[in-house]
Amino acid sequence: MGRWLAARVAHAIVTLAVAATLLFFLMRIVPGDPLSRLSDDRPISPREIARLRERYGLDQPLGRQYAAFLSGTARGDLGVSIEFGRPVTRLIAERLPATLLLGGTVLLLNFTLGLWLGVRQAVRRGGATDRWLEIASLAGYSVPSFWLGLLLAWLAATRWRILPSGGMHDVLLGPDAGMVPVTIDVLRHLVLPALTLSLVSIAATMRYQRTAMLEALALPFVQTARAKGIAERRVVWHHAWRNALFPVITLFGLWLPILVTGSVFVEQVFAWPGLGSLAAGAVGGRDYPLLMGTALLASALVVAGGLIADLLYALLDPRVRHA
Amino acid sequence: MSPAGALLRAVWRRMSGRIGVVVLAAMITGAVAGPFVLPSPIAQPDIEHGGRPPSLAHPMGTDQLSRDVLARVAGGARVSLSVAAIAVAMSIGVGALVGLFAGYKGGAVDAVAMRLVDAALAIPRLFLLLLLLALWERIPLVVFIVAVGATGWFGTSRLVRGEVLRLRESEYVAAARALGGGGGRIMFRHLLPNAIGPLLVAATLGVGDVILLEAGLSFLGLGIQPPTPSWGGMIFDAREVLVTAPWASVFPALAITLTVLAANLIGDALRDAADPRSA
């Protein structure tokens, strides 16, 4: 196990390092000087540009830039944002809680409701429930998230006036408001973006679970359990479902990055102060250190997701780690 | 019948596949015929009185700048479908080539290629594109399409490589080699055709992904640049008049949804046809 674990972790680190390298060189082969835009807004002297280039290390040879980038990244230094003039790690740290809250809620919804619906579909395979859920989830998958968000915001905020349409905090709530009102306020703001993101992404979880459950239900031991006269509900949830959870672990690994990436459009629509809207906003300002930072974080999450999924597999199924 | 022909026939036999094909065909027809029968998608004939509801003259109404929404949806279809078709063709082509070579050559070629692909797969496509769009101001449409295509082939290469590894040592490949077939002939005539099924599935699902991606980027104002109509851009333009002129955003949103749905239905039907077990 120890050896297997070490190899798997090493693989993850190499993957991440190569991803960082790809990002770095992608940035250098694209034409256009990230600093030229600064001069659009206000007159800027060539001397000032030279100073800025020096500050961002753009005057150094490529090899040295790359070395500085790698060692900086390894030390957790992602550079300074061009637009905000503050360390990228600081900006990311500020926005991370909002994104984790939104992404975590969506993951929770998908992995409770989505799994339950998938199992129901499998149990009633080919029936009306199965078919309707299939169509509904596929429709959700096909709707552009930002439009669904606009629509829900209009319905819930403008028409019914039951939920706020954007942001994360009510500005009228003073800084001295208690813990409970603040929590309720944040949760109220969370409902619409979480619902939107979940509606457009739950289809994948449902399908995975449905397929896995169908395979599990076809296994001989399920038939044995039924033959022994065990109640169908128990057969489904106690016997079959446990075996249908394995493939879902892979899906969990794939979904972890949704914490950061899935929310770019939805955060923008609901003005949710997370990483997605930070990244989208950074494009206009050509804030490449900030974009690199968010892209690196997202890549790290993807790699971590795969690693966690593999670890869970190994933990639950000894055949994996002995293979 | 060729394997591809058999697959397409199998798609048509399935209700969901048939719906997908019909919807997609309707979209393509609208996209191709639009410019000949509809008003210009960028003309603003009556800018004082924009945002009119659907009528005989404007079946989908007009937007706030008095542009005909139907013409813009058709124009958007031209752009979105072309972007999707070209980008997906590119990523499928490159992915198939890399997968074929890596799988067939094996050894160091395979190891290096797959490490790179693993790393590229770890970077979310959206972030790659955001970074590119940030650096390249006023990106030309061609470059945008190439960028979307160039960021979409990593998964495909893994798919094809897996198929090649499975078949590389099979007897019919050994027979082809014994008959004097060279590497190129074996790769393209004997190995590639076996990957056509998974490739077609990946392509149709890829079309849906690219359309959503392009719509999202255009919605952020980063994808297709105005005045060229794009579905995502139309929704962005119309978000201020969401309530007073809902048709200006509902119809492009429906166009996106239906097209992506059609692509997914066809992809599912293809998968079922290629692998009946997963149905």
Side-chain angles (χ1 to χ4, degrees), chain A residues 11 15 18-19 22-23 26-27 30-31 34 37 125 138-139 141-144 146-147 150 154 207 260-261 264-265 268-269 279-280 283 286 288 291-292 294-295 298-299 302-303, chain B residues 115-116 118-124 126-128 130-137 209 212 215-217 219-220 222 235 239 242-243 249-250 253 256-257 260-261 264-265 268 279:
Chain A
H11 179 255
T15 304
V18 177
L22 287 179
L23 275 172
L26 170 82
M27 218 177 64
V30 173
R37 169 74 156 272
R125 176 191 192 173
L138 205 55
Y141 181 80
S142 306
V143 175
F146 49 91
W147 183 71
L150 287 173
W154 170 71
R207 299 193 128 195
V260 177
T261 59
V264 171
F265 304 126
Q268 196 74 1
V269 168
V283 176
R286 306 182 90 187
Y288 76 92
L291 274 166
M292 281 284 277
T294 43
S299 312
V302 176
V303 172
Chain B
R115 282 300 78 72
L116 286 173
D118 275 348
L121 273 174
I123 312 169
L126 180 59
F127 279 76
L128 271 177
L130 285 180
L131 198 57
L132 184 76
L133 293 169
L135 290 171
W136 200 321
E137 217 176 348
D209 287 346
L212 280 179
L217 287 172
F219 175 75
L220 293 180
L222 302 170
I235 296 176
R239 82 200 179 293
L242 197 69
V243 183
S249 58
V250 166
I256 299 172
T257 309
V260 176
L261 193 63
N264 281 305
L265 286 175
D268 283 351

Side-chain angles (χ1 to χ4, degrees), chain A residues 48-70:
Chain A
E48 236 177 319
I49 289 186
R51 221 188 35 168
L52 277 168
R53 289 182 65 84
E54 195 187 323
R55 181 166 163 210
Y56 287 100
L58 292 172
D59 55 341
Q60 303 276 328
L62 196 60
R64 193 166 302 170
Q65 282 186 42
Y66 176 60
F69 164 75
L70 268 196

Side-chain angles (χ1 to χ4, degrees), chain A residues 124-203:
Chain A
R124 295 165 193 230
R125 176 191 192 173
T129 319
D130 181 22
R131 219 158 306 146
W132 278 112
L133 282 174
E134 178 77 22
I135 293 172
S137 65
L138 205 55
Y141 181 80
S142 306
V143 175
S145 57
F146 49 91
W147 183 71
L148 186 65
L150 287 173
L151 195 70
L152 289 177
W154 170 71
L155 263 183
T158 313
R159 179 114 191 212
W160 299 333
R161 294 171 183 279
I162 47 171
L163 287 168
S165 66
M168 192 173 166
H169 300 282
D170 193 335
V171 283
L172 296 177
L173 215 59
D176 49 345
M179 186 70 175
V180 175
V182 169
T183 310
I184 292 177
D185 181 48
V186 169
L187 288 181
R188 273 166 51 84
H189 283 86
L190 176 65
V191 173
L192 287 178
L195 186 67
T196 307
L197 208 47
S198 198
L199 278 173
V200 300
S201 64
I202 204 166

